Amino acid sequence: DAGVIQSPRHEVTEMGQEVTLRCKPISGHNSLFWYRQTMMRGLELLIYFNNNVPIDDSGMPEDRFSAKMPNASFSTLKIQPSEPRDSAVYFCASSLRAHSNQPQHFGDGTRLSIL
Amino acid sequence: QKEVEQNSGPLSVPEGAIASLNCTYSDRGSQSFFWYRQYSGKSPELIMSIYSNGDKEDGRFTAQLNKASQYVSLLIRDSQPSDSATYLCAVENTGNQFYFGTGTSLTVIP
């Protein structure tokens, strides 16, 4: 079975540029999560969706960050404009949320470097 | 107070020993608890889940849950160098929100 698929795996760009990260959840999963991981702050939840609807975006750092889930098989996380402090590994995870007690399954992550 | 707390370590154990990783959580009504392993440069992978008080064993891994003390632990028996990784505790609270601890770094010394 295909797991959570993220793209790109690595992104290096200059500050001020727009960055778009993409995620395809596991087929049949109806919850999707975006995380950011840094050495200093660990794994931070940015936003999560249930049935394509954003439920909790309180972790989104500021207005420069936005996330969409136009359908059950695709989500994007956009940073515009990007800043060096956005450099981190961004993970997407999905779970079968119709029932509680369901673990999250992670993609391989996007390693983002803003110069 | 953080939702989930772990000792960041690093924790070092000799090969063949038992490694004990601990986690506490703040929401007394939490029902679901997970342990993830993360190798350096890789994504977290689920290794254990536990929902009821007591012990749950899977191979060399044992998860222990004590809801009264709001405490969950992971024991790794016969530790191997390949177990060297960061171990993340995750808790699903009463609001169905997931929280991860900051992780404990484990090194198994050959």
Side-chain angles (χ1 to χ4, degrees):
Chain A
D1 288 344
V4 176
I5 300 172
Q6 291 187 246
S7 64
R9 291 294 307 277
H10 303 273
E11 176 86 14
V12 180
T13 191
E14 294 185 347
M15 66 177 294
Q17 298 297 307
E18 178 179 292
V19 173
T20 300
L21 311 181
R22 296 173 176 81
C23 176
K24 176 179 170 58
I26 293 173
S27 178
H29 282 191
N30 55 13
S31 290
L32 183 140
F33 306 79
W34 282 102
Y35 289 90
R36 177 173 67 178
Q37 188 174 41
T38 61
M39 288 292 293
M40 292 298 295
R41 301 172 68 90
L43 198 62
E44 301 174 279
L45 177 65
L46 301 177
I47 185 171
Y48 81 92
F49 296 82
N50 276 350
N51 296 318
N52 313 338
V53 176
I55 302 301
D56 183 357
D57 66 353
S58 59
M60 296 286 262
E62 48 199 91
D63 292 344
R64 297 185 298 106
F65 286 68
S66 62
K68 294 181 180 180
M69 191 165 186
N71 57 61
S73 59
F74 184 66
S75 177
T76 60
L77 177 67
K78 187 173 294 187
I79 309 173
Q80 167 63 20
S82 58
E83 297 182 4
R85 60 191 168 124
D86 301 330
S87 298
V89 180
Y90 290 80
F91 288 107
C92 176
S94 71
S95 73
L96 182 59
R97 202 71 169 187
H99 309 283
S100 185
N101 303 337
Q102 296 299 316
Q104 297 179 17
H105 300 271
F106 284 76
D108 289 337
T110 294
R111 187 171 297 274
L112 177 64
S113 296
I114 308 297
L115 306 178
Chain B
Q1 182 184 7
K2 292 184 178 179
E3 293 280 343
V4 179
E5 303 220 38
Q6 295 181 254
N7 187 328
S8 63
L11 174 66
S12 294
V13 299
E15 184 174 355
I18 296 175
S20 178
L21 306 162
N22 305 313
C23 172
T24 59
Y25 59 94
S26 61
D27 184 343
R28 180 171 291 278
S30 298
Q31 296 293 321
S32 306
F33 308 87
F34 307 92
W35 282 100
Y36 287 79
R37 177 178 61 200
Q38 187 175 23
Y39 292 114
S40 180
K42 301 294 186 181
S43 61
E45 59 175 322
L46 179 71
I47 54 173
M48 290 285 289
S49 59
I50 187 167
Y51 310 111
S52 304
N53 273 330
D55 295 359
K56 179 181 178 182
E57 188 174 314
D58 183 0
R60 295 186 297 111
F61 297 97
T62 299
Q64 298 176 318
L65 175 61
N66 184 327
K67 290 186 178 181
S69 300
Q70 295 174 234
Y71 177 95
V72 58
S73 65
L74 179 70
L75 301 178
I76 306 175
R77 291 182 301 281
D78 187 24
S79 295
Q80 301 297 309
S82 59
D83 295 326
S84 298
T86 295
Y87 289 80
L88 301 167
C89 172
V91 176
E92 184 179 14
N93 70 5
T94 50
N96 297 128
Q97 294 171 308
F98 244 76
Y99 290 93
F100 282 84
T102 53
T104 299
S105 175
L106 171 67
T107 300
V108 179
I109 303 167

